[in-house]
Amino acid sequence: MAANFLVRLLSRRTWLQRSGTGVATLLLAPPLFAQDQAQPLDSTIRSMATLTGVDLSNPWLQPTAGLVGIIVADSKLLRALDLGSIEPATYFQAD
Amino acid sequence: MPEVLISRPIHELAPLLERKEISPVELFNEAIEKIHQLQPKLNSFITITEQEGRKAATEAESEIRRGQYRGPLHGIPISIKDLFATRGVRTTAGSKVLGQWIPDYDATAVARLHQAGMALVGKAHMHEFAYGVTNDNPHYGPARNPWDPTRVPGGSSGGSAAAVATSQCSASLGSDTGGSIRIPAAVCGTVGLKPTYGRVSRYGAIPLAWSLDHVGPITKTVEDAALMLAAIAGPDSKDRSASSRAVPDYCKELQGSIRGLRFGVPRRYFFKHVDPEIQKVVSAALRQLESMGALSVEVDIPDLENCSAMEAHITLAEATSYHEQYLKEQPDDYGPGVRTNLEAGRYLLATDYVKSQRARTLLQHNFNKAFEGADVIVSPTLPAFPPRVGEVWVQSGDLREHVIDAFLRFNIPYDLTGLPAISIPCGLSSAGLPIGLQIAGKAFDEITVLRFANAYEQSTASHPIRYALPS
């Protein structure tokens, strides 16, 4: 892919979440990469209704699934990071 | 006496006010006139507080006449990002969800500015719930860039930065979770300071992500940023994350020399995929620092490539948690972008959230190692210029990317680590758009950050960007 048109994976996430017409585009446009990302997670998210207490359906299901899919895909490096015994940066304080 | 007082920075106005050579009411009237003139074009405000502000200016005038001068912010026209609870004044967070909320309390930072004697000109426009970087708001219309009104002013404190740049106010209070003070400051040609996490109380600021939210000033000059920080910083029992560290005298050390001090240049991450004009202007700024006797050192900070994933997991999870009830009761009152983010936050794994919080500790360690060899770290604030309103793609050198990715890239490391970082104007592009230089420092070392920034700013005192009022 020409460097001039290189689009970072994460950019597709933000295209989904920021576009005011993103929802309509996903429903009406021909299959897009974003939709390819969304489809495997659509049914996963629907099946989580019992867990989340929320039954998410379209028009929000596909953009949400697409965004989640892209964030997860973008998290490969983070998930592979070996943090040993490093503790979280945030702590509960008892006082 | 200058014809347009309101275009002068606070540190020049304050002595004139103290000596009663000018009146706070006069200053306030100039600000309000500017607001009325520019509001139709730039939409920098959601609410204009002309009545309340004039009352405060009048009270300031009486107090100063009686010899009860409170300090450098007394009688100064200031705006507050509409994220901060302001007693008796509609506070919307740029949203329809809170569109009719009138708080009965002040955010701590707002209360401190009131105590300092500010005259509130209005609640500045912002991206809905601070959840974006363009200030393109579906409920209140887009805020616009004063240097090119067809473009965005950056966000989420876009109204604040545009108002300061055009002297609709002398300074503004903003917030920064992924760059929301520094991004619009860079885009609008102002100074924007994100202090150390916990330096300024978050109480009364509608949260985006509790563990990433910072409160800080947007001003015309670095000295003004120091004055604002001095007024708002300090312990607060209402915010558990607020530091109990004493607040130093930021202005006392401001004029110190930077000769012999070291500025770290992290080329691998912060100078990659950057517009060539930005690269050129920032490089010139670095040479300027060297000409003042500061020493340039190459630094490398590992693991920065994880920042965008870390930011996503933390912000989405915390934001969705805050909005849980609103999302249940008023889901259709959200704009589509924010709504999608909030829905998505339910489906990210807790283990990824915790991992991201653990990775922050690693990132802090990596920055601390870099600071063993440098006193500050410098970079461009942004890799690309702002898009036109309604557009979302930008060109960052060889990389075409979404504006969110571009604008967060150099900013989020300092939200994730909580380190202080300031953006200051360092030049204009050939199209007349401001370019920002970011200077970051060690935790709670705002003094060194401000000193470097002030030294650079003073060395370019004749630069027209400082007080330029775009037509």
Side-chain angles (χ1 to χ4, degrees), chain B residues 222-242:
Chain B
V222 176
E223 187 168 352
D224 285 3
L227 292 173
M228 285 281 284
L229 182 62
I232 58 178
D236 184 15
S237 57
K238 297 194 193 97
D239 175 5
R240 286 164 64 86
S241 70

PDB file of all heavy atoms in Angstrom, chain B residues 222-242:
ATOM      1  N   VAL B 222       3.163  32.199  28.784  1.00  0.00           N
ATOM      2  CA  VAL B 222       3.595  31.234  29.791  1.00  0.00           C
ATOM      3  C   VAL B 222       3.460  31.831  31.197  1.00  0.00           C
ATOM      4  O   VAL B 222       3.017  31.152  32.130  1.00  0.00           O
ATOM      5  CB  VAL B 222       5.048  30.802  29.519  1.00  0.00           C
ATOM      6  CG1 VAL B 222       5.534  29.870  30.612  1.00  0.00           C
ATOM      7  CG2 VAL B 222       5.150  30.116  28.162  1.00  0.00           C
ATOM      8  N   GLU B 223       3.799  33.115  31.340  1.00  0.00           N
ATOM      9  CA  GLU B 223       3.685  33.731  32.664  1.00  0.00           C
ATOM     10  C   GLU B 223       2.225  33.718  33.123  1.00  0.00           C
ATOM     11  O   GLU B 223       1.937  33.476  34.296  1.00  0.00           O
ATOM     12  CB  GLU B 223       4.228  35.164  32.645  1.00  0.00           C
ATOM     13  CG  GLU B 223       4.283  35.792  34.042  1.00  0.00           C
ATOM     14  CD  GLU B 223       5.075  37.085  34.119  1.00  0.00           C
ATOM     15  OE1 GLU B 223       5.733  37.456  33.118  1.00  0.00           O
ATOM     16  OE2 GLU B 223       5.022  37.729  35.179  1.00  0.00           O
ATOM     17  N   ASP B 224       1.321  33.957  32.201  1.00  0.00           N
ATOM     18  CA  ASP B 224      -0.103  33.893  32.547  1.00  0.00           C
ATOM     19  C   ASP B 224      -0.490  32.482  32.987  1.00  0.00           C
ATOM     20  O   ASP B 224      -1.306  32.315  33.898  1.00  0.00           O
ATOM     21  CB  ASP B 224      -0.965  34.301  31.349  1.00  0.00           C
ATOM     22  CG  ASP B 224      -0.948  35.803  31.096  1.00  0.00           C
ATOM     23  OD1 ASP B 224      -0.230  36.521  31.817  1.00  0.00           O
ATOM     24  OD2 ASP B 224      -1.665  36.239  30.164  1.00  0.00           O
ATOM     25  N   ALA B 225       0.070  31.467  32.343  1.00  0.00           N
ATOM     26  CA  ALA B 225      -0.210  30.088  32.747  1.00  0.00           C
ATOM     27  C   ALA B 225       0.277  29.844  34.172  1.00  0.00           C
ATOM     28  O   ALA B 225      -0.394  29.179  34.969  1.00  0.00           O
ATOM     29  CB  ALA B 225       0.445  29.099  31.783  1.00  0.00           C
ATOM     30  N   ALA B 226       1.438  30.410  34.492  1.00  0.00           N
ATOM     31  CA  ALA B 226       1.972  30.279  35.856  1.00  0.00           C
ATOM     32  C   ALA B 226       1.043  30.959  36.860  1.00  0.00           C
ATOM     33  O   ALA B 226       0.785  30.432  37.950  1.00  0.00           O
ATOM     34  CB  ALA B 226       3.378  30.880  35.927  1.00  0.00           C
ATOM     35  N   LEU B 227       0.529  32.130  36.492  1.00  0.00           N
ATOM     36  CA  LEU B 227      -0.390  32.855  37.382  1.00  0.00           C
ATOM     37  C   LEU B 227      -1.672  32.069  37.609  1.00  0.00           C
ATOM     38  O   LEU B 227      -2.182  31.981  38.726  1.00  0.00           O
ATOM     39  CB  LEU B 227      -0.723  34.224  36.784  1.00  0.00           C
ATOM     40  CG  LEU B 227       0.423  35.246  36.734  1.00  0.00           C
ATOM     41  CD1 LEU B 227       0.014  36.493  35.955  1.00  0.00           C
ATOM     42  CD2 LEU B 227       0.873  35.628  38.138  1.00  0.00           C
ATOM     43  N   MET B 228      -2.205  31.509  36.534  1.00  0.00           N
ATOM     44  CA  MET B 228      -3.444  30.721  36.654  1.00  0.00           C
ATOM     45  C   MET B 228      -3.196  29.475  37.497  1.00  0.00           C
ATOM     46  O   MET B 228      -4.001  29.120  38.353  1.00  0.00           O
ATOM     47  CB  MET B 228      -3.957  30.322  35.261  1.00  0.00           C
ATOM     48  CG  MET B 228      -4.614  31.438  34.482  1.00  0.00           C
ATOM     49  SD  MET B 228      -6.324  31.761  35.003  1.00  0.00           S
ATOM     50  CE  MET B 228      -7.196  30.363  34.234  1.00  0.00           C
ATOM     51  N   LEU B 229      -2.083  28.798  37.235  1.00  0.00           N
ATOM     52  CA  LEU B 229      -1.786  27.568  37.978  1.00  0.00           C
ATOM     53  C   LEU B 229      -1.643  27.867  39.463  1.00  0.00           C
ATOM     54  O   LEU B 229      -2.144  27.131  40.306  1.00  0.00           O
ATOM     55  CB  LEU B 229      -0.505  26.920  37.432  1.00  0.00           C
ATOM     56  CG  LEU B 229      -0.108  25.596  38.090  1.00  0.00           C
ATOM     57  CD1 LEU B 229      -1.185  24.538  37.866  1.00  0.00           C
ATOM     58  CD2 LEU B 229       1.236  25.098  37.559  1.00  0.00           C
ATOM     59  N   ALA B 230      -0.990  28.979  39.771  1.00  0.00           N
ATOM     60  CA  ALA B 230      -0.811  29.352  41.183  1.00  0.00           C
ATOM     61  C   ALA B 230      -2.159  29.513  41.877  1.00  0.00           C
ATOM     62  O   ALA B 230      -2.312  29.201  43.052  1.00  0.00           O
ATOM     63  CB  ALA B 230       0.001  30.639  41.273  1.00  0.00           C
ATOM     64  N   ALA B 231      -3.151  30.008  41.118  1.00  0.00           N
ATOM     65  CA  ALA B 231      -4.473  30.249  41.712  1.00  0.00           C
ATOM     66  C   ALA B 231      -5.268  28.972  41.914  1.00  0.00           C
ATOM     67  O   ALA B 231      -6.056  28.870  42.857  1.00  0.00           O
ATOM     68  CB  ALA B 231      -5.264  31.219  40.826  1.00  0.00           C
ATOM     69  N   ILE B 232      -5.087  27.986  41.037  1.00  0.00           N
ATOM     70  CA  ILE B 232      -5.983  26.825  41.085  1.00  0.00           C
ATOM     71  C   ILE B 232      -5.340  25.579  41.700  1.00  0.00           C
ATOM     72  O   ILE B 232      -6.043  24.643  42.074  1.00  0.00           O
ATOM     73  CB  ILE B 232      -6.528  26.467  39.678  1.00  0.00           C
ATOM     74  CG1 ILE B 232      -5.395  26.163  38.684  1.00  0.00           C
ATOM     75  CG2 ILE B 232      -7.406  27.601  39.147  1.00  0.00           C
ATOM     76  CD1 ILE B 232      -5.869  25.751  37.285  1.00  0.00           C
ATOM     77  N   ALA B 233      -4.019  25.564  41.809  1.00  0.00           N
ATOM     78  CA  ALA B 233      -3.329  24.359  42.298  1.00  0.00           C
ATOM     79  C   ALA B 233      -3.474  24.222  43.809  1.00  0.00           C
ATOM     80  O   ALA B 233      -3.724  25.195  44.522  1.00  0.00           O
ATOM     81  CB  ALA B 233      -1.850  24.429  41.921  1.00  0.00           C
ATOM     82  N   GLY B 234      -3.281  23.002  44.291  1.00  0.00           N
ATOM     83  CA  GLY B 234      -3.237  22.808  45.733  1.00  0.00           C
ATOM     84  C   GLY B 234      -4.128  21.688  46.212  1.00  0.00           C
ATOM     85  O   GLY B 234      -4.984  21.184  45.474  1.00  0.00           O
ATOM     86  N   PRO B 235      -3.945  21.282  47.460  1.00  0.00           N
ATOM     87  CA  PRO B 235      -4.718  20.170  48.025  1.00  0.00           C
ATOM     88  C   PRO B 235      -6.215  20.471  48.025  1.00  0.00           C
ATOM     89  O   PRO B 235      -6.642  21.630  48.035  1.00  0.00           O
ATOM     90  CB  PRO B 235      -4.200  20.067  49.466  1.00  0.00           C
ATOM     91  CG  PRO B 235      -2.931  20.837  49.496  1.00  0.00           C
ATOM     92  CD  PRO B 235      -2.990  21.855  48.424  1.00  0.00           C
ATOM     93  N   ASP B 236      -6.996  19.394  48.001  1.00  0.00           N
ATOM     94  CA  ASP B 236      -8.457  19.545  48.063  1.00  0.00           C
ATOM     95  C   ASP B 236      -9.040  18.282  48.660  1.00  0.00           C
ATOM     96  O   ASP B 236      -8.914  17.203  48.076  1.00  0.00           O
ATOM     97  CB  ASP B 236      -9.044  19.794  46.670  1.00  0.00           C
ATOM     98  CG  ASP B 236     -10.551  20.045  46.709  1.00  0.00           C
ATOM     99  OD1 ASP B 236     -11.093  20.303  47.803  1.00  0.00           O
ATOM    100  OD2 ASP B 236     -11.186  19.973  45.641  1.00  0.00           O
ATOM    101  N   SER B 237      -9.680  18.408  49.807  1.00  0.00           N
ATOM    102  CA  SER B 237     -10.235  17.237  50.484  1.00  0.00           C
ATOM    103  C   SER B 237     -11.391  16.629  49.685  1.00  0.00           C
ATOM    104  O   SER B 237     -11.765  15.486  49.899  1.00  0.00           O
ATOM    105  CB  SER B 237     -10.725  17.609  51.887  1.00  0.00           C
ATOM    106  OG  SER B 237     -11.682  18.648  51.798  1.00  0.00           O
ATOM    107  N   LYS B 238     -11.936  17.399  48.738  1.00  0.00           N
ATOM    108  CA  LYS B 238     -13.062  16.872  47.952  1.00  0.00           C
ATOM    109  C   LYS B 238     -12.577  16.001  46.785  1.00  0.00           C
ATOM    110  O   LYS B 238     -13.389  15.382  46.101  1.00  0.00           O
ATOM    111  CB  LYS B 238     -13.895  18.029  47.388  1.00  0.00           C
ATOM    112  CG  LYS B 238     -14.544  18.893  48.455  1.00  0.00           C
ATOM    113  CD  LYS B 238     -15.601  19.790  47.824  1.00  0.00           C
ATOM    114  CE  LYS B 238     -16.057  20.879  48.744  1.00  0.00           C
ATOM    115  NZ  LYS B 238     -15.371  22.159  48.508  1.00  0.00           N
ATOM    116  N   ASP B 239     -11.284  15.973  46.516  1.00  0.00           N
ATOM    117  CA  ASP B 239     -10.748  15.164  45.430  1.00  0.00           C
ATOM    118  C   ASP B 239      -9.635  14.291  45.996  1.00  0.00           C
ATOM    119  O   ASP B 239      -8.549  14.774  46.319  1.00  0.00           O
ATOM    120  CB  ASP B 239     -10.216  16.057  44.293  1.00  0.00           C
ATOM    121  CG  ASP B 239      -9.531  15.259  43.183  1.00  0.00           C
ATOM    122  OD1 ASP B 239      -9.547  14.014  43.232  1.00  0.00           O
ATOM    123  OD2 ASP B 239      -8.983  15.884  42.260  1.00  0.00           O
ATOM    124  N   ARG B 240      -9.914  12.974  46.093  1.00  0.00           N
ATOM    125  CA  ARG B 240      -8.941  12.070  46.702  1.00  0.00           C
ATOM    126  C   ARG B 240      -7.630  12.000  45.923  1.00  0.00           C
ATOM    127  O   ARG B 240      -6.608  11.608  46.448  1.00  0.00           O
ATOM    128  CB  ARG B 240      -9.536  10.663  46.778  1.00  0.00           C
ATOM    129  CG  ARG B 240     -10.595  10.513  47.837  1.00  0.00           C
ATOM    130  CD  ARG B 240     -11.405   9.246  47.609  1.00  0.00           C
ATOM    131  NE  ARG B 240     -10.621   8.032  47.742  1.00  0.00           N
ATOM    132  CZ  ARG B 240     -10.398   7.407  48.902  1.00  0.00           C
ATOM    133  NH1 ARG B 240     -10.885   7.893  50.021  1.00  0.00           N
ATOM    134  NH2 ARG B 240      -9.695   6.290  48.937  1.00  0.00           N
ATOM    135  N   SER B 241      -7.692  12.350  44.648  1.00  0.00           N
ATOM    136  CA  SER B 241      -6.470  12.274  43.844  1.00  0.00           C
ATOM    137  C   SER B 241      -5.657  13.567  43.903  1.00  0.00           C
ATOM    138  O   SER B 241      -4.543  13.610  43.380  1.00  0.00           O
ATOM    139  CB  SER B 241      -6.813  11.966  42.382  1.00  0.00           C
ATOM    140  OG  SER B 241      -7.449  13.079  41.775  1.00  0.00           O
ATOM    141  N   ALA B 242      -6.204  14.593  44.538  1.00  0.00           N
ATOM    142  CA  ALA B 242      -5.480  15.874  44.597  1.00  0.00           C
ATOM    143  C   ALA B 242      -4.297  15.735  45.541  1.00  0.00           C
ATOM    144  O   ALA B 242      -4.429  15.242  46.652  1.00  0.00           O
ATOM    145  CB  ALA B 242      -6.409  16.990  45.054  1.00  0.00           C
TER     146      ALA B 242
END
